[in-house]
């Protein structure tokens, strides 16, 4: 996902799209941004321009590409309004590109356990829009009948009660600032102890590159610290660790890695 300088690896993305477009006529691309899980990385507007340029190249050849933007954490970025700016780039996409946005209402409205979200279609073609609506309706009914009604009703109640809506907005804002402070605390501690981590912009998680995540995790277990081993690293849940303990965890990861790799 990232190049050696910690930027979005558009070259790797382009190579991957090229590979599949040589053997098939359609492609689904899923990009979790902003506040990527598990790294906290976010694509810039320039990154998005490059992504769309790659896709438009094949759309002009008659290939059909769907870009699914997993934006579950968009309201927990440093500036949620600025984080939405890249959507404007989809305003002029060709008919052979379909933009989809996966939106989590349960996260954005601090209803995490209610599991309520939306799939939003972005296209300039009314016929494509109608087809999307019909396909999603039949697919949804056939898979789980209906969405979570109680969560939807809560959202309706929020928007019908100005005071309640303002309270929810304040609660979200406090959580957002808390997560950002935790991320910066982890970054600062990592920098001080020489721990390499993936670029963190915002979100619920940070990640540390590691070639032996299970083994390093086992070492930390002895000190009562539990992280999530990934295929190529270790994920730390900022959402579950206080700001002060984020500093402790960063140092603990560094200590465990040094112990395992014999540094």
């Amino acid at each position: 996902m990232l190049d050696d300088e910690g930027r979005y690896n558009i070259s790797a993305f382009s190579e991957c799209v090229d590979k599949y477009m040589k053997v098939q006529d359609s492609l689904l691309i899923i990009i979790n941004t902003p506040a990527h899980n598990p790294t906290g990385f976010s694509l810039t507007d320039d990154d998005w321009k490059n992504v769309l340029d790659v896709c438009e190249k094949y759309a002009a050849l008659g290939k059909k590409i769907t870009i699914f933007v997993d934006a579950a954490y968009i309201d927990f970025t440093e500036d949620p309004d600025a984080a939405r700016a890249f959507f404007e780039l989809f305003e002029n996409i060709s008919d052979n590109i379909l933009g989809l946005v996966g939106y989590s209402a349960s996260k954005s409205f601090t209803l995490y356990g209610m599991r309520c979200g939306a799939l939003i279609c972005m296209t300039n073609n009314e016929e494509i829009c109608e087809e999307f609506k019909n396909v999603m309706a039949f697919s949804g009914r056939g898979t789980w009948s209906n969405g979570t009604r109680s969560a939807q009703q809560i959202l309706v109640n929020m928007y019908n009660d100005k005071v309640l809506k303002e309270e929810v907005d304040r609660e979200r804002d406090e959580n957002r600032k808390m997560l950002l402070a935790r991320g910066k605390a982890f970054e600062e501690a990592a920098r001080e102890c020489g721990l390499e981590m993936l670029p963190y912009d915002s979100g619920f998680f940070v990640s540390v590159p590691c070639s032996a995540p299970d083994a390093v995790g086992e070492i930390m277990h002895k000190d009562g610290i539990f992280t999530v081993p990934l295929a190529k690293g270790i994920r730390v849940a900022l959402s579950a660790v206080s700001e002060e303990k984020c500093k402790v965890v960063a140092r603990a990861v560094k200590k465990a890695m040094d112990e395992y790799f014999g540094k």
Side-chain angles (χ1 to χ4, degrees):
M1 185 174 74
L2 305 174
D3 61 21
D4 292 338
E5 297 180 1
R7 296 175 301 193
Y8 186 66
N9 198 335
I10 190 63
S11 295
F13 172 81
S14 180
E15 289 173 8
C16 193
V17 174
D18 290 344
K19 173 184 174 182
Y20 288 104
M21 289 289 84
K22 288 177 181 177
V23 296
Q24 60 194 53
D25 293 324
S26 62
L27 185 66
L28 168 63
I29 299 167
I30 303 175
I31 302 180
N32 175 206
T33 188
H36 174 264
N37 176 4
T39 67
F41 179 80
S42 297
L43 270 69
T44 66
D45 290 353
D46 285 339
D47 290 332
W48 270 113
K49 289 176 185 176
N50 292 332
V51 166
L52 289 172
D53 283 345
V54 171
C55 295
E56 287 288 5
K57 180 177 71 173
Y58 287 100
L61 299 176
K63 306 281 188 175
K64 296 185 182 298
I65 297 179
T66 299
I67 304 175
F68 180 97
V69 185
D70 178 357
Y73 304 101
I74 197 166
D75 284 314
F76 293 91
T77 56
E78 190 158 4
D79 187 339
D81 290 330
R84 286 164 161 76
F86 75 92
F87 287 129
E88 295 180 4
L89 299 174
F90 283 79
E91 289 183 355
N92 298 313
I93 55 175
S94 64
D95 288 351
N96 283 337
I97 295 179
L98 178 65
L100 299 178
V101 182
Y103 174 71
S104 174
S106 51
K107 288 186 177 69
S108 288
F109 289 90
T110 68
L111 296 167
Y112 211 97
M114 297 297 281
R115 318 311 295 169
C116 181
L119 183 59
I120 303 166
C121 168
M122 296 185 290
T123 177
N124 293 307
N125 188 306
E126 188 172 347
E127 184 178 342
I128 293 174
C129 186
E130 190 64 27
E131 180 184 10
F132 166 83
K133 178 182 176 182
N134 292 334
V135 169
M136 291 301 104
F138 284 108
S139 177
R141 290 287 289 173
T143 304
W144 31 254
S145 183
N146 283 300
T148 47
R149 180 176 174 80
S150 57
Q152 294 179 60
Q153 187 59 56
I154 289 172
L155 292 174
V156 171
N157 293 345
M158 285 182 188
Y159 275 93
N160 285 336
D161 186 331
K162 183 179 179 181
V163 174
L164 178 59
K165 175 64 166 53
E166 290 175 349
E167 289 178 2
V168 173
D169 290 341
R170 280 196 297 271
E171 180 178 286
R172 182 199 308 110
D173 194 51
E174 290 172 2
N175 292 339
R176 181 180 61 80
K177 291 177 180 177
M178 177 179 65
L179 285 168
L180 290 168
R182 291 177 179 182
K184 290 176 181 177
F186 189 96
E187 275 187 313
E188 181 180 349
R191 186 165 50 250
E192 289 174 353
C193 69
L195 175 68
E196 179 189 358
M197 61 178 288
L198 295 175
Y200 174 80
D201 174 69
S202 55
F204 287 47
F205 311 100
V206 294
S207 288
V208 175
C210 180
S211 59
D214 291 290
V216 172
E218 287 295 331
I219 294 174
M220 287 188 285
H221 289 178
K222 299 173 185 177
D223 295 324
I225 296 175
F226 300 89
T227 56
V228 179
L230 306 171
K232 297 182 179 180
I234 296 170
R235 185 184 82 163
V236 177
L238 301 175
S239 52
V241 185
S242 70
E243 183 177 340
E244 189 58 37
K245 288 184 177 179
C246 279
K247 301 176 184 178
V248 174
V249 173
R251 292 190 287 267
V253 174
K254 174 62 174 173
K255 178 185 174 184
M257 290 180 69
D258 286 349
E259 180 179 333
Y260 180 79
F261 292 106
K263 295 182 179 179

